[in-house]
Amino acid sequence: MISDDCVHKIELDNLENGEIIKHTILLIKGHIRQQRQAKKCREQHILLRVRHDASVLDATWELQIQSKISRTGQFKLLCDFAQHELETVCTRTPLILNFSYCNIVYQCEILYESTAYSKNNYRLQALYITCVNQKPLAAEQVHENCEKINLNLRLVQSVYAEQLRSAGYGRRTFTLNNDCKVFESHLTCEEVWEQSEESLWQNFAKEILNSSTWGGEEKLKFVAFIGCTKYDGAAVAVTGDFSYSNIRKHLKGHAALGGGGLALFGAAYLYAWPRSFNEINACFGSNKLIDLTQLPDDSNYRRTYGGVYATTLGAVVHEIGHTFDLGHTKDGVMGNGVDYINRVFTIDNLTEHLPERVIQRPLPELRTEIATRPRFTQLKRATNTFLEKYHEQKINDSFYFTPNCVIILAYNKWFRNSNDYNAEENTVDATITYDAVNSCVIVEGHENQLRLIEVRSIDNSLVKYWYEPQSNKECSEIYKFYLPKEAAKVLGENHYLFVLTRSGITKRFCEN
Ligand SMILES: [Zn+2]
Ligand SMILES: [Zn+2]
């Protein structure tokens, strides 16, 4: 019921007038401020209407989205610009956003830039891996899974943009090269089921790099899903052991690994993923319990469809992060926060108290100097108090990149904006060295100041210390950085250095 007595205000938390959006899915977060609410005002929804600037296009195109208002006045609206024919219109399409709630309206204009116009040739390509003896009947399944991968990678792309924006780097994110393509492996399903996830990663990385289609593509990183992942739920039922480790033991041809140029996953969890945009919210919110005798569970013990969707989509964000050189952190996406991506999209979130994860194991990398491809699978019981979790989740949804991770992403070639292109030319001839006697990192070459130094564990790539070398009065340009004592000490004890320059060059150093 609309009332003239109400005085409300609509505030957007993550969008400004005139902002340029280069990703297809946009999450708009905001608040309704109640300055005076009439008793009879029962408005519980905000409506968003998106349309073209009429002077640009005469076609009548309109997108309508609704969001509930949370107890604290928060709303989240998810828009999909790819559903509509914005792609071929022009480089930048002005869009008018019209928010209405109770008796007020708020208008905001943004510019949507289609991927077709992205100048960044460093891109991400999705692949769906099939085996030589793939069943012909599976074609429909392949098609459906590819659609799920396309949709959800667009969602991941917007999550990265959102994270970098909130950290002050603007809406930087990776560019998706093309729709998901089927990649035909030389392996049979039986061979895939026998291999460990490390050897699957090695094998598929090699096959992709040696393939005629993708082999020469130096500027592509790949996100690949193994089509024939198989779960033996009956065997799990017989043992009566429904722990994660037992479920994992009966899941063949599965992986969740990222590093170098490839992030690799099994397709077994796509059952919990939405295929169309309109299903996204329902999938995150699904409390439907999983029948563990039929389907595998990876939800950090939530055991719901929504939990599986959150954990496995969070894993995609996490593993893609490794391909962009990120190490592990205690909290956030690259650590214990991996399970909480659902909270980014939902309102009125209750505090979830999930078991902490133990980060473990390195693996050899494809295109980098030393072994740093990490993962974590084991779960240990929680130590954080409920209250700590509550505050953490309230402030940042628990799903965020720590500041050191954001810096690495912001300087990564895959995240460059078109105005950063001059920097790219200067990245060729930089030399980074480490003087172990003086514990000093030295960089040579023009425009190659140090930006970030991390000390990471060789065992699991967990970042123990990180430093942003600061310029000072005597020296405005940073070509040298002396490691603090604590860092130099652990460097000899199972830790390595990760170095990032302002021009985006990275290098790893190991003392032994
Ligand atoms: Zn009202
Ligand atoms: Zn990891």
Side-chain angles (χ1 to χ4, degrees), residues 318-319 322 328 334 359 374-376:
H318 176 108
E319 300 301 339
H322 285 316
H328 282 136
M334 299 313 291
I359 299 163
R375 58 180 298 247
F376 50 102

Side-chain angles (χ1 to χ4, degrees), residues 70-349:
S70 81
R71 292 183 300 267
T72 55
Q74 196 189 23
F75 61 84
K76 292 181 179 177
L77 293 151
L78 199 59
C79 321
D80 185 8
F81 300 138
Q83 280 181 333
H84 306 275
E85 299 299 314
L86 291 178
E87 303 294 314
T88 51
V89 176
C90 50
T91 318
R92 282 178 184 170
T93 314
L95 297 176
I96 296 162
L97 275 53
N98 197 289
F99 300 87
S100 52
Y101 174 79
C102 189
N103 56 3
I104 48 163
V105 283
Y106 177 80
Q107 190 160 301
C108 168
E109 199 170 314
I110 58 168
L111 291 165
Y112 171 69
E113 186 178 310
S114 149
T115 299
Y117 297 94
S118 170
K119 291 192 187 116
N120 195 344
N121 294 320
Y122 290 91
R123 295 178 175 205
L124 211 63
Q125 173 67 48
L127 299 176
Y128 191 79
I129 300 172
T130 58
C131 295
V132 283
N133 58 340
Q134 175 100 24
K135 288 195 198 89
L137 283 177
E140 174 51 30
Q141 180 77 39
V142 172
H143 178 68
E144 182 182 333
N145 281 345
C146 285
E147 284 193 349
K148 288 182 173 184
I149 292 163
N150 287 333
L151 172 68
N152 287 280
L153 283 184
R154 294 198 291 118
L155 201 55
V156 169
Q157 182 189 38
S158 81
V159 167
Y160 270 89
E162 207 53 55
Q163 290 291 334
L164 269 80
R165 187 195 189 277
S166 71
Y169 289 92
R171 289 189 174 273
R172 283 165 192 258
T173 188
F174 55 81
T175 304
L176 289 163
N177 186 53
N178 222 324
D179 278 352
C180 185
K181 301 286 183 217
V182 171
F183 181 84
E184 291 171 7
S185 167
H186 298 298
L187 299 182
T188 62
C189 294
E190 290 72 20
E191 285 168 329
V192 168
W193 294 332
E194 270 168 25
Q195 290 191 36
S196 70
E197 64 186 303
E198 291 79 17
S199 53
L200 286 172
W201 189 91
Q202 294 285 356
N203 176 82
F204 291 133
K206 225 180 277 168
E207 275 198 86
I208 293 165
L209 291 185
N210 290 333
S211 70
S212 53
T213 314
W214 307 111
E217 301 280 359
E218 280 293 306
K219 293 180 175 175
L220 290 185
K221 285 184 188 288
F222 299 93
V223 182
F225 289 78
I226 306 165
C228 71
T229 313
K230 183 178 75 168
Y231 176 61
D232 190 351
V236 171
V238 167
T239 62
D241 173 6
F242 294 101
S243 66
Y244 176 72
S245 62
N246 197 42
I247 287 169
R248 182 65 191 87
K249 213 168 93 188
H250 291 86
L251 193 57
K252 307 290 183 194
H254 177 69
L257 278 186
L262 172 68
L264 182 69
F265 304 91
Y269 291 113
L270 294 180
Y271 73 84
W273 288 26
R275 182 178 184 176
S276 74
F277 178 82
N278 296 331
E279 296 166 358
I280 293 173
N281 282 329
C283 283
F284 277 127
S286 173
N287 287 320
K288 189 179 164 193
L289 288 174
I290 293 153
D291 178 357
L292 297 173
T293 65
Q294 302 295 321
L295 292 166
D297 170 43
D298 185 2
S299 63
N300 207 351
Y301 292 95
R302 284 174 279 196
R303 298 208 159 147
T304 58
Y305 279 66
V308 168
Y309 180 36
T311 292
T312 56
L313 189 70
V316 172
V317 179
H318 176 108
E319 300 301 339
I320 287 178
H322 285 316
T323 73
F324 294 128
D325 290 323
L326 303 187
H328 282 136
T329 54
K330 194 179 159 292
D331 299 309
V333 182
M334 299 313 291
N336 276 306
V338 73
D339 299 296
Y340 301 106
I341 195 171
N342 53 319
R343 311 179 72 87
V344 173
F345 299 94
T346 50
I347 53 171
D348 279 333
N349 291 313

Side-chain angles (χ1 to χ4, degrees), residues 404-453:
N404 53 320
C405 290
V406 173
I407 293 168
I408 296 170
L409 294 173
Y411 285 84
N412 189 293
K413 279 184 209 164
W414 271 259
F415 286 72
R416 280 213 177 120
N417 285 328
S418 34
N419 27 348
D420 312 324
Y421 279 94
N422 295 335
E424 193 182 341
E425 308 314 317
N426 295 319
T427 58
V428 190
D429 58 346
T431 320
I432 311 167
T433 49
Y434 178 63
D435 170 3
V437 178
N438 299 302
S439 305
C440 182
V441 181
I442 304 151
V443 64
E444 286 165 55
H446 192 56
E447 301 279 320
N448 274 300
Q449 303 178 49
L450 294 169
R451 183 63 184 88
L452 179 80
I453 316 260

